Amino acid sequence: MPEPSEAELARIHDERAAIFRPAWFGNLAKGRLSLGETFWGGYVGVQLIAMPLWILAMVPAIAAESDGLVPYSLPWVLVLVFYLLQLGWTLAVTRAVLGVAPKARQAGGWRWVAMIVALVIAAQSLALIFTWVTGRL
């Protein structure tokens, strides 16, 4: 593989610098990025930010539950808000994956796998919200 030119290196640098910026999130949610960036960046990459926030939300929720303050305590509401934000983002990424994957012919059969996994992730997120709110499956 030949060495990239200075122009190619500058383009790559600019593309990488745009990741996780507001415009990148908008382009991802609107299905304007590649399938790989939409799927992996949207689901896995965002979790690198969301999971530390999740841990911060769960510590007071677990403490409140052990004190008998759940449901409808402030920590319970914070966890519900976190779940709702996660659900909104998950549904946006799922919609984007379902829009981008059929056009990603270079991905071959993996594009169909991405669509199936996206639907499973969305269903799992909906079940999680339902379980959290109702306390049953």
Side-chain angles (χ1 to χ4, degrees):
M1 183 169 161
E3 291 292 320
S5 68
E6 289 296 322
E8 289 172 315
L9 289 174
R11 182 187 54 77
I12 292 168
H13 179 270
D14 291 343
E15 286 176 1
R16 288 185 181 170
I19 294 176
F20 293 114
R21 306 274 188 218
W24 180 85
F25 284 106
N27 286 333
L28 189 147
K30 293 174 185 169
R32 294 180 183 161
L33 302 178
S34 69
L35 175 59
E37 196 167 356
T38 300
F39 184 88
W40 293 109
Y43 288 126
V44 179
V46 170
Q47 295 310 311
L48 295 173
I49 299 166
M51 284 302 103
L53 296 175
W54 166 248
I55 291 169
L56 291 175
M58 284 308 295
V59 169
I62 291 169
E65 185 172 352
S66 67
D67 291 339
L69 299 176
V70 172
Y72 310 119
S73 64
L74 179 60
W76 186 90
V77 171
L78 290 175
V79 171
L80 179 62
V81 167
F82 181 84
Y83 279 164
L84 290 173
L85 291 172
Q86 279 281 90
L87 176 64
W89 179 250
T90 298
L91 294 177
V93 174
T94 299
R95 188 197 67 69
V97 167
L98 294 176
V100 171
K103 301 173 201 164
R105 301 210 186 283
Q106 74 282 4
W110 289 108
R111 62 190 170 142
W112 305 112
V113 172
M115 291 192 308
I116 291 167
V117 171
L119 291 170
V120 168
I121 290 171
Q124 178 186 15
S125 297
L126 289 167
L128 184 62
I129 288 279
F130 180 78
T131 301
W132 181 259
V133 172
T134 66
R136 60 192 167 117
L137 283 173

